[in-house]
Amino acid sequence: MKQSRRSITDLILHLHPQTVPRETLRVTLSWGLGGMAAVLVGLLFLTGILLLLVYQSSPTNAYASILTLTREVPFGLWIRNIHHWSANLLVIVAVLHLLRVVLTGAFGPGRRLNWMIGLLLLFLLLASNFTGYLLPWDQLAYWAVTICTSMLGYIPLCGPWLQELFRGGAEIGPGTLANFFVLHAAFIPGGLFILLLWHFWLVRKAGGLVQVEREEPVPVERVPTVPDLVVREAAFGLVLVALVLILAVVWNAPLLDQANPGMSPNPAKAPWYFMGFQELLLHLHPVFAVFVWPLLGAAALLCVPFWRESALPGGVWFGSERGRTLAVWTIVAGTFATLAMILLDNLLLHASNVAALDTLVTRGLLPTGLLAGLLAGLYLWLTRKQHYSRAETVMAGILLAMVVLVVCTIIGVWFRGAEMHLAWPWGQGGG
Ligand code: HEM
């Protein structure tokens, strides 16, 4: 008994230092979001292995194997639901974790590489969600993947090649399912596993979570990882696992009719985490909606830690009271501005000849130039006139981008009906 306890402690101490600063145990510093993401990844690996015992990855058998799993295999439906909810919650938890890192100034010197590894993790878990989406081979999966892979086709120069590579042919078919299955069940989990170990090790190497920087150095009070930190991690983890298990009992993962390439649903929508981009596609030239804007956003996120003094003071949410006020204003103003732009553009599209408007200049270069000008103007106004620091302004910029994406996602998921026209959720007749 004593021996097995010693082994578990040793295992824990491979991922954690022997002691941690007492200050970083404060729940409100991290809200345990990174740990929650790790627990969800664990649930995904576990349930994924169980699903592999029944799932068959050919277009003729995939759908039937899911029906067998959910109707005949004991606990099969529950296992599938746990896998589904863990995957979807993971996207939300990882984005919240990213925001907490930004809002507590945890991407500065010493943590830059880990920020980049985190971005790679986010990319991989989105790819994992997306490749898993096709596997049940139902109408929802088939058409969502059709929409997303056709978005790839808009990427300049290599778009059509990329589209064919992912589809494993010109159309979605056996080649696509084979590609997606191997990516989902082998390559992506392998990559996730390696990057996660690296991510945890870098937290450890940085001396644990970010801490408040003080003018004069004060001695740091340290407490033993086992039990002080581990008990807290276990409490968060167990509550989360209980929540997912209950959610999986009361709410089934969707499964529509078997995929039918001849019958497209109206509207055909991307998975919810890509709906923000599908919404952008309605307002911008496709090259800008699926390539230029996401690429600029990703490049900005990757480079931001290397901009001098771009991270908030460590360990203090929003950096200061003033920073908090700026964040609230950014969220409120960003939400209203995004809604206003969507409605205005909708009116414009209805009132004018769409074809005449739909050019690379009017729907691509012009809005991009206007946005760049607006952001530069806002930056100068906030730093020069309002005397906000660079870090506070960068935080506001990241929050603004997040707000735009969230509003576009909500509109796309709930307020787009047939032909992707704006509609109230209750008036869409199940579309
Ligand atoms: C599968 C996804 C992820 C998992 C499982 C994960 C896990 C963790 C864990 C357990 C921690 C330490 C505890 C905590 O902060 O709650 C952490 C810290 C950190 N994570 Fe993540 N993470 C993920 C994604 C991300 C993303 C998307 C980013 C940002 C781009 C990111 C950036 C960081 C940084 C910079 C730290 C150090 C924070 C500090 O020192 O206070 N991680 N992560």
Side-chain angles (χ1 to χ4, degrees):
M1 186 63 191
K2 248 190 170 155
Q3 178 59 36
S4 62
R5 227 165 105 185
R6 180 78 237 146
S7 313
I8 294 173
T9 309
D10 281 351
L11 184 73
I12 291 169
L13 289 178
H14 270 93
L15 291 174
H16 294 298
Q18 297 263 358
T19 59
V20 285
R22 180 185 284 285
E23 179 192 322
T24 59
L25 292 184
R26 196 166 31 105
V27 172
T28 51
L29 173 62
S30 71
W31 291 105
L33 288 161
M36 287 199 227
V39 168
L40 291 171
V41 173
L43 276 179
L44 282 168
F45 274 65
L46 209 71
T47 47
I49 291 169
L50 293 177
L51 291 176
L52 280 183
L53 298 174
V54 179
Y55 179 74
Q56 295 178 25
S57 64
S58 72
T60 38
N61 297 334
Y63 186 74
S65 70
I66 296 287
L67 286 184
T68 311
L69 172 86
T70 52
R71 292 182 183 166
E72 290 165 32
V73 176
F75 298 108
L77 176 64
W78 195 42
I79 302 285
R80 175 170 187 251
N81 291 347
I82 297 173
H83 198 72
H84 171 84
W85 286 116
S86 302
N88 284 281
L89 282 176
L90 179 58
V91 176
I92 298 172
V93 169
V95 170
L96 290 177
H97 171 59
L98 180 152
L99 274 180
R100 130 32 215 161
V101 167
V102 172
L103 299 180
T104 58
F107 63 69
R111 294 181 166 78
R112 288 179 179 137
L113 177 60
N114 216 10
W115 166 261
M116 291 195 284
I117 305 275
L119 287 178
L120 268 179
L121 279 170
L122 185 64
F123 173 76
L124 274 192
L125 67 91
L126 284 175
S128 174
N129 257 284
F130 178 57
T131 47
Y133 209 85
L134 183 68
L135 302 189
W137 203 251
D138 65 342
Q139 277 288 75
L140 193 67
Y142 185 91
W143 289 101
V145 172
T146 305
I147 295 279
C148 290
T149 47
S150 53
M151 284 189 200
L152 278 181
Y154 292 119
I155 295 177
L157 304 177
C158 61
W161 174 79
L162 266 180
Q163 181 176 319
E164 199 163 324
L165 180 77
F166 274 94
R167 287 186 173 175
E171 300 295 331
I172 307 273
T176 327
L177 191 55
N179 280 352
F180 275 42
F181 178 64
V182 173
L183 284 172
H184 185 77
F187 283 99
I188 298 176
L192 264 178
F193 186 69
I194 294 168
L195 287 180
L196 272 179
L197 289 184
W198 197 359
H199 196 60
F200 298 153
W201 182 70
L202 284 173
V203 175
R204 192 184 156 160
K205 199 168 157 232
L209 296 193
V210 71
Q211 291 172 57
V212 180
E213 295 146 23
R214 294 185 176 85
E215 309 251 301
E216 302 115 41
V218 278
V220 178
E221 190 194 346
R222 299 188 74 91
V223 290
T225 299
V226 187
D228 289 50
L229 172 62
V230 172
V231 163
R232 284 170 172 79
E233 285 181 339
F236 260 85
L238 287 174
V239 170
L240 179 67
V241 170
L243 281 179
V244 176
L245 297 192
I246 294 171
L247 193 63
V249 170
V250 293
W251 208 338
N252 286 341
L255 185 68
L256 301 189
D257 293 336
Q258 183 160 10
N260 180 352
M263 201 186 77
S264 158
N266 185 4
K269 291 189 180 179
W272 69 266
Y273 36 83
F274 291 148
M275 269 316 292
F277 297 106
Q278 200 179 346
E279 178 64 33
L280 277 186
L281 208 51
L282 297 172
H283 305 283
L284 291 176
H285 189 280
V287 172
F288 282 78
V290 303
F291 181 65
V292 178
W293 282 34
L295 194 75
L296 289 178
L301 278 180
L302 267 175
C303 296
V304 75
F306 297 96
W307 195 12
R308 222 167 18 90
E309 290 168 14
S310 61
L312 290 171
V316 182
W317 276 81
F318 307 100
S320 64
E321 267 310 312
R322 258 192 116 216
R324 185 188 300 267
T325 313
L326 178 64
V328 173
W329 272 109
T330 306
I331 294 172
V332 174
T335 305
F336 281 109
T338 314
L339 281 175
M341 294 301 282
I342 291 176
L343 293 175
L344 199 75
D345 195 47
N346 211 50
L347 285 178
L348 198 70
L349 285 174
H350 273 108
S352 47
N353 179 355
V354 177
L357 277 178
D358 200 12
T359 71
L360 207 63
V361 176
T362 52
R363 301 235 137 223
L365 290 172
L366 196 66
T368 308
L370 282 176
L371 183 72
L374 182 80
L375 289 180
L378 269 175
Y379 177 76
L380 291 177
W381 181 69
L382 283 171
T383 49
R384 303 254 164 100
K385 295 270 178 232
Q386 301 298 319
H387 305 292
Y388 280 105
S389 67
R390 175 179 292 170
E392 285 166 332
T393 322
V394 165
M395 169 202 68
I398 295 178
L399 272 181
L400 182 66
M402 207 54 94
V403 167
V404 173
L405 202 59
V406 170
V407 173
C408 284
T409 304
I410 292 175
I411 295 283
V413 170
W414 282 300
F415 294 89
R416 291 280 172 195
E419 313 294 339
M420 292 301 276
H421 289 317
L422 281 178
W424 294 110
W426 49 89
Q428 293 178 21

